[in-house]
Amino acid sequence: TVSGGEPLEQFEFVIALFKACREAGIHTCLDTSGYAGSDVLSKVLALTDYVLYDIKHMDSGVHSQFTGMPNDLVLANAKVVAASGIPMLIRIPVIPGVNDTLENIRETAHFVEMLRENIAIELLPYHRMGLGKYQALDTPYPLEGIQPLEPAHLELIRQTIEGMGIKCILSR
């Protein structure tokens, strides 16, 4: 599994690694936000067995506010991955007050539903485990003051997704 940051920013390395893995009979997995040119993505997908694909927010303005970039490319590339037929899992890092509204969750699930059948969603609940790293680097923590999700709200999100007929995995 290659993950990030964003592994597609170093696509030449990923291609070389995945080629070596293929030659050695090792399964390959790309963990990506999908923020790369579709030509780069296609080259990497040709050597990929499984894709973990993050979708952070369906509203491009909100996505841009929290990631520094709009989501147009991310959503377009999700369609590229889905069309490739490679097994994929959509992952949503669920952050209170950012993307945990039922409106955004339903919109995301509807998008996933339109991609292809049999794509599940994994919920990655926000946690504060990275706070110490920011403190050690004397860097402001961008999500200061945000507390982890209430278990009942996380369960409501899971039920909402499953109620739309999409398998939902809750990462703990």
Side-chain angles (χ1 to χ4, degrees):
T1 301
V2 294
S3 61
E6 175 51 62
L8 295 176
E9 287 185 9
Q10 300 173 20
F11 72 93
E12 291 161 333
F13 171 79
V14 174
I15 289 170
L17 177 65
F18 278 12
K19 279 182 182 177
C21 287
R22 280 275 166 97
E23 290 169 5
I26 298 171
H27 186 270
T28 59
C29 177
L30 175 67
D31 181 354
T32 183
S33 69
Y35 197 78
S38 59
D39 56 330
V40 166
L41 178 63
S42 295
K43 288 176 185 176
V44 174
L45 288 179
L47 299 162
T48 303
D49 297 310
Y50 193 81
V51 178
L52 300 172
Y53 200 96
D54 287 4
I55 295 182
K56 295 174 179 71
H57 207 290
M58 291 303 293
D59 180 283
S60 193
V62 175
H63 188 277
S64 185
Q65 178 184 349
F66 285 94
T67 67
M69 63 196 81
N71 68 358
D72 307 30
L73 185 58
V74 171
L75 299 179
N77 279 338
K79 293 175 184 177
V80 170
V81 175
S84 75
I86 296 168
M88 71 186 298
L89 175 65
I90 299 293
R91 301 186 330 155
I92 304 172
V94 186
I95 304 171
V98 176
N99 66 348
D100 67 326
T101 66
L102 293 184
E103 177 186 0
N104 181 63
I105 295 300
R106 284 187 193 104
E107 217 177 310
T108 306
H110 181 67
F111 177 78
V112 171
E113 188 177 47
M114 292 175 30
L115 289 175
R116 178 178 85 210
E117 288 186 28
N118 300 320
I119 297 177
I121 294 176
E122 180 180 20
L123 301 176
L124 306 171
Y126 168 76
H127 55 74
R128 297 178 54 87
M129 287 189 254
L131 179 59
K133 291 179 185 178
Y134 281 86
Q135 290 170 338
L137 295 170
D138 197 29
T139 303
Y141 187 60
L143 299 175
E144 188 62 47
I146 294 181
Q147 297 300 315
L149 283 164
E150 292 293 325
H153 186 58
L154 195 55
E155 179 59 21
L156 178 60
I157 291 170
R158 187 194 65 74
Q159 289 174 359
T160 299
I161 292 168
E162 289 203 338
M164 294 177 70
I166 298 170
K167 181 180 177 183
C168 185
I169 302 159
L170 181 54
S171 181
R172 300 261 180 208

